[in-house]
Amino acid sequence: DDGEMFNRPGLPADRFVSPFPNEQAARAANGGAYPPDLSLIVKARVGGADYLYSLMTGYVAAPAGAKPPSETLQYNTHFPGNWIAMPAPLTEGAVEYADGTKATVDQMARDLTSFLAWTSMPELEQRKQMGLAVMIFLVVFTGLLIATKKKVWATVDKA
């Protein structure tokens, strides 16, 4: 009522808070490139989760003689043109898994892409439930149609 802002508990439908205060700060921190929302890339690209996994694991040393167009670019075997402004986001041992799983780049990339695929489609569980309900309806409806057809055609004179 007084116009004072407050914090509330997060909801599953909330967006992630940007680590940057604005677009200019994001570009400054990323060598002039504005970082994309990777959950949207999972949905927008054909094979989005596979592409994202390949992108996360594709950072390698540039081949001998390859010169980057800019000092801020990184070499990535899975990025078109092989030079990307985003630095490698994953490093060995960056997280600690509660179950003792070794935190390799491969494992973290799998976890990351699975999580982003899940966040990119929050309605997936509802769609699956609706699909199951539709399939049950269609089976029952087909049974009723077959029973109706047999009843109608039972009285037709067979020649």
Side-chain angles (χ1 to χ4, degrees):
D1 291 338
D2 297 331
E4 296 294 322
M5 194 54 175
F6 61 93
N7 288 329
R8 62 169 174 75
L11 301 173
D14 288 345
R15 294 177 182 244
F16 285 106
V17 177
S18 174
F20 307 105
N22 54 42
E23 184 178 336
Q24 290 75 18
R27 287 184 185 279
N30 290 287
Y34 186 63
D37 181 349
L38 294 178
S39 68
L40 297 178
I41 288 182
V42 170
K43 276 177 77 168
R45 280 195 173 259
V46 174
D50 293 333
Y51 168 76
L52 189 57
Y53 170 80
S54 297
L55 187 68
M56 297 294 127
T57 59
Y59 288 91
V60 296
K67 186 169 174 137
S70 167
E71 293 296 322
T72 60
L73 296 180
Q74 311 291 321
Y75 191 79
N76 189 303
T77 56
H78 297 288
F79 189 73
N82 298 117
W83 296 104
I84 185 171
M86 180 175 75
L90 304 175
T91 56
E92 296 284 329
V95 297
E96 186 176 318
Y97 288 97
D99 65 354
T101 302
K102 188 172 180 182
T104 63
V105 169
D106 179 69
Q107 180 64 46
M108 291 183 291
R110 288 182 193 282
D111 293 343
L112 176 68
T113 54
S114 296
F115 175 73
L116 290 174
W118 175 74
T119 59
S120 70
M121 293 183 279
E123 73 286 345
L124 183 61
E125 290 300 318
Q126 291 173 327
R127 285 183 16 214
K128 285 183 178 180
Q129 289 176 351
M130 178 62 77
L132 179 62
V134 167
M135 293 306 291
I136 291 170
F137 169 78
L138 289 175
V139 167
V140 170
F141 188 65
T142 301
L144 289 172
L145 285 175
I146 291 171
T148 302
K149 179 222 171 234
K150 286 186 177 189
K151 180 152 179 92
V152 168
W153 285 90
T155 59
V156 174
D157 192 23
K158 295 181 181 155

